[in-house]
Amino acid sequence: MHSNFNFTSLPIFTTERFILRKAQENDCHDLFDLYSNEQVTRYTPLTPFTSIDDAMDELNWYDTISKEQTGFRWVIEEAESKKVIGTCGFLNYEKEHNRIEIGYDLNHSYWGKGVMKEAISCIIPFAFLTMKINKIEAKVEPENLSSIRLLEKLNFYKEGVLRQHEFEKGKYIDLAIFSILKSEYQ
């Protein structure tokens, strides 16, 4: 079963503390702040941003994956301050298999405050119920214990480790693969 979801209309989600919305050009300074921090980019394929142009490239990537219908990204805006403090979304959409990968990043100042659990709790039901996804996957470096704990809290199941699966930042890295099925969510 495939959904008729079109990637052009990204819904806005509101939680108690945050607004998840489509990125806008004026978010580039907050995205630069997010991705210029080495702690944030440590477990990602990104190198720390060194200019606003890097943030604009990131915004353009969000548009590209949406146009290609392979994924999309929400920015996480703090409702009170209107500051973008992170992102979350989906990539590597495989329509024929109803499978998608989840990804997320958060400003270091907000770690350990339940932000990502609150944000992701909005987008998981969207994937299963609106997009008709059967399986959401997450690929995480085994050393990224905070991300693994988050996935476990969200009832993702560890399927195994993909050994030396990607070449990033000059070395091969292992990726632990986690997933949650629609049948496990409901």
Side-chain angles (χ1 to χ4, degrees):
M1 172 195 297
H2 299 297
S3 112
N4 290 326
F5 174 74
N6 72 24
F7 283 70
T8 58
S9 57
L10 195 61
I12 296 172
F13 295 110
T14 304
T15 72
E16 186 178 326
R17 300 180 291 167
F18 309 107
I19 300 165
L20 279 67
R21 61 169 174 77
K22 182 178 167 78
Q24 302 164 357
E25 193 171 321
N26 62 350
D27 296 325
C28 66
H29 293 283
D30 289 340
L31 289 175
F32 174 75
D33 186 42
L34 171 68
Y35 292 118
S36 62
N37 185 308
E38 285 185 24
Q39 291 178 293
V40 172
T41 61
R42 179 178 179 189
Y43 297 116
T44 73
L46 301 173
T47 54
F49 288 4
T50 58
S51 71
I52 292 297
D53 287 342
D54 293 336
M56 290 305 296
D57 289 345
E58 183 73 6
L59 283 170
N60 289 334
W61 179 72
Y62 300 163
D63 287 339
T64 298
I65 62 172
S66 181
K67 286 176 186 156
E68 292 173 347
Q69 298 193 357
T70 58
F72 43 87
R73 203 82 169 182
W74 286 270
V75 294
I76 303 168
E77 178 184 275
E78 191 174 40
E80 192 173 301
S81 71
K82 302 298 183 203
K83 177 180 174 61
V84 170
I85 60 167
T87 72
C88 62
F90 299 109
L91 61 156
N92 299 327
Y93 177 45
E94 296 182 52
K95 186 173 184 173
E96 64 276 12
H97 302 295
N98 297 315
R99 181 172 56 226
I100 205 161
E101 185 178 336
I102 195 167
Y104 42 85
D105 304 292
L106 184 63
N107 186 303
H108 180 258
S109 305
Y110 292 84
W111 288 4
K113 298 179 180 177
V115 173
M116 206 50 73
K117 185 171 188 249
E118 189 174 327
I120 290 177
S121 294
C122 293
I123 69 171
I124 288 174
F126 174 77
F128 287 139
L129 304 175
T130 302
M131 294 184 68
K132 308 295 187 209
I133 296 296
N134 182 60
K135 181 180 184 181
I136 301 172
E137 296 176 335
K139 294 177 183 150
V140 182
E141 290 186 42
E143 300 81 21
N144 190 347
L145 300 178
S146 296
S147 188
I148 290 170
R149 280 192 297 274
L150 170 66
L151 293 168
E152 289 170 344
K153 285 179 191 173
L154 293 166
N155 299 315
F156 277 69
Y157 170 81
K158 183 177 180 181
E159 293 188 5
V161 176
L162 303 167
R163 299 179 316 139
Q164 296 187 3
H165 191 68
E166 291 182 353
F167 189 78
E168 291 181 5
K169 300 175 185 170
K171 65 180 182 177
Y172 289 100
I173 61 162
D174 295 345
L175 289 176
I177 186 161
F178 289 79
S179 68
I180 186 169
L181 303 176
K182 184 176 183 179
S183 61
E184 296 166 338
Y185 174 75
Q186 292 178 328

